[in-house]
Amino acid sequence: MSDYTEQAQIIKQHAEDLKNYWKTRDAQMILDREIINLVKPEETSAKIDWMSNEPKVFFDTSRALISLYPPRFRHPISINYAPEEKERMNKAERLDIGIFRSLDRRTFDTGGGSWLWELAYWVLLGWYSIFNIVVDGQDGPEFVADIYDPLTVFPQWDASGLIRCIRIYEVDRITAIAMADEFMKKGLEFDFKEPGKADAKPQVINYWECLRSRNKKVVKNAILIAGQVVKPLTIQRKLNRIPIQIGSIGSPDRISPNWEMRKGESIIAANRDAYEYLNSMISLMATITAATAFPELIEKTISGREAYKAEDFKGYGGKKTYKLNETIDILKHAATPQEVNILMSYWGQQVQKASVPNSV
């Protein structure tokens, strides 16, 4: 067995272990995204045909409130400052503005919006992950802060910080081949077997680890494409930490069962049940309304044959024809119960308590 094959097996095992560790977190994040994107649930306790747009309106408004305007950078100076100190602070503030604008340009170049707008999306969903590093660019130092989908990032911490972080995502076959070629151009030597056409979505594993060696942190990185090592586990000598910041907005509790799903809470966490109940009540009232809005006509003739067409009676739901000597009991649909309106009012108030748009 070659060293690369052994490395690939070890990395795949770490990746599988961390994916299983964070599976409850991933399930909750997917559920929250479906609620925000107004995806109708496949299986619920009540039939839902109508959905309120409240969660999306709430989320989009909140996102705009925290990211609509670019930040203002101000560095403090002492009261009795020297002119040179003020000049240094002004230069530092201009540097901050320049870095922020470069982040915007990098995000726009990759088809996104402003950097802060993109970051706000993930923060409001409860988790964020950012690859931040300074590299040598064509025009000098380049500040990188690429935002990753937290669903693709699986961290592992200990008392000293982030010791392992694995990013797992899929690309198309052409992109996978191009990525492997790029690593070859950088001087890496490896045997890469191109994914077959049947493998439409090859998997990429970007593996990072930061372990202590002789009281010093050693950062290593490896990359697998379609299960093959294209970058062996390599020491990153210029780094003393994993250049990925991953965090959550939620509960700090790590003792209770399934704490991973509450570690990062989306902004709609307090309203999940309210939205589901609201949708079920809206669907119930819509069903009752549709069933009772156009009552059916009963027609009786000697022969039992139809004397008038149903379409002759505009605005009615249907028409049935019977003989004169036939009797039939008509079961009327129930009107919307008053309790439904009371519950709708109650749950509407509950939504307002936790929704920025309803209280601003």
Side-chain angles (χ1 to χ4, degrees):
M1 181 184 296
S2 66
D3 291 341
Y4 283 8
T5 303
E6 186 177 359
Q7 278 191 22
Q9 290 182 352
I10 295 174
I11 291 172
K12 288 178 183 178
Q13 186 60 52
H14 281 308
E16 191 64 28
D17 291 343
L18 284 179
K19 283 181 69 175
N20 290 331
Y21 184 82
W22 291 108
K23 63 182 179 181
T24 54
R25 175 204 70 168
D26 295 352
Q28 187 61 62
M29 284 199 293
I30 292 173
L31 177 62
D32 286 342
R33 294 185 192 188
E34 289 181 346
I35 294 174
I36 290 169
N37 294 325
L38 303 182
V39 177
K40 185 182 294 186
E42 295 181 358
E43 295 182 3
T44 58
S45 57
K47 183 180 179 182
I48 296 179
D49 296 318
W50 290 57
M51 293 187 66
S52 169
N53 67 343
E54 170 65 27
K56 183 169 180 58
V57 172
F58 174 31
F59 186 85
D60 290 346
T61 305
S62 303
R63 184 183 180 189
L65 286 173
I66 65 174
S67 65
L68 189 60
Y69 299 102
R72 298 177 181 178
F73 299 97
R74 295 291 184 268
H75 289 271
I77 57 177
S78 59
I79 297 177
N80 300 317
Y81 60 86
E84 294 81 6
E85 183 182 359
K86 182 178 180 181
E87 182 64 23
R88 286 196 299 269
M89 292 300 100
N90 289 339
K91 289 181 178 179
E93 290 172 0
R94 290 197 297 270
L95 174 62
D96 292 340
I97 295 173
I99 292 174
F100 186 79
R101 288 176 178 173
S102 69
L103 297 181
D104 276 350
R105 285 195 299 269
R106 185 178 177 88
T107 308
F108 286 131
D109 289 342
T110 54
S114 71
W115 186 84
L116 189 58
W117 174 257
E118 298 287 325
L119 178 63
Y121 179 84
W122 303 110
V123 170
L124 291 175
L125 280 174
W127 283 88
Y128 62 89
S129 55
I130 305 170
F131 176 76
N132 57 337
I133 196 170
V134 182
V135 298
D136 293 329
Q138 295 180 350
D139 301 324
E142 182 180 358
F143 295 84
V144 177
D146 293 340
I147 301 173
Y148 292 157
D149 184 346
L151 267 178
T152 66
V153 180
F154 304 91
Q156 180 181 351
W157 292 282
D158 69 358
S160 61
L162 190 64
I163 61 171
R164 186 171 287 110
C165 189
I166 305 176
R167 185 185 180 214
I168 307 172
Y169 61 101
E170 293 180 342
V171 296
D172 58 78
R173 178 174 173 272
I174 297 176
T175 302
I177 296 173
M179 292 175 65
D181 290 340
E182 187 66 24
F183 282 109
M184 286 183 179
K185 292 177 182 178
K186 293 180 179 179
L188 296 176
E189 297 181 358
F190 54 88
D191 295 326
F192 183 74
K193 182 180 178 181
E194 293 186 0
K197 294 184 178 179
D199 189 7
K201 293 289 185 180
Q203 189 181 77
V204 179
I205 299 178
N206 193 345
Y207 177 87
W208 291 88
E209 69 176 17
C210 179
L211 303 176
R212 287 190 176 274
S213 176
R214 297 179 181 178
N215 296 325
K216 181 180 179 181
K217 289 185 177 180
V218 178
V219 179
K220 297 181 181 180
N221 175 235
I223 297 177
L224 274 64
I225 299 178
Q228 306 171 62
V229 176
V230 297
K231 179 183 179 182
L233 201 58
T234 307
I235 296 177
Q236 309 298 300
R237 302 189 183 282
K238 295 183 179 181
L239 299 177
N240 59 6
R241 66 172 182 84
I242 297 174
I244 297 177
Q245 288 184 331
I246 180 167
S248 59
I249 312 298
S251 170
D253 176 22
R254 295 194 184 189
I255 300 177
S256 302
N258 294 327
W259 64 268
E260 296 89 354
M261 64 187 298
R262 294 184 297 275
K263 174 64 176 172
E265 289 188 344
S266 68
I267 195 171
I268 66 163
N271 276 344
R272 291 190 193 112
D273 292 340
Y275 290 143
E276 181 180 355
Y277 197 81
L278 196 63
N279 290 336
S280 65
M281 289 296 100
I282 292 174
S283 299
L284 174 62
M285 289 197 296
T287 301
I288 295 175
T289 301
T292 58
F294 302 106
E296 293 186 341
L297 288 177
I298 301 298
E299 176 187 57
K300 291 188 176 184
T301 61
I302 295 175
S303 63
R305 288 181 294 183
E306 189 177 36
Y308 299 94
K309 300 293 183 183
E311 54 266 23
D312 294 337
F313 300 92
K314 304 298 182 183
Y316 290 90
K319 185 173 74 67
K320 292 180 173 61
T321 303
Y322 302 94
K323 292 182 180 180
L324 288 175
N325 59 348
E326 292 179 340
T327 60
I328 185 170
D329 293 330
I330 305 299
L331 298 177
K332 295 183 179 180
H333 295 285
T336 304
Q338 182 64 27
E339 288 79 8
V340 172
N341 296 328
I342 296 174
L343 288 173
M344 285 287 292
S345 175
Y346 170 76
W347 281 104
Q349 292 174 0
Q350 294 302 107
V351 170
Q352 290 181 41
K353 289 179 181 178
S355 294
V356 173
N358 286 328
S359 59
V360 166

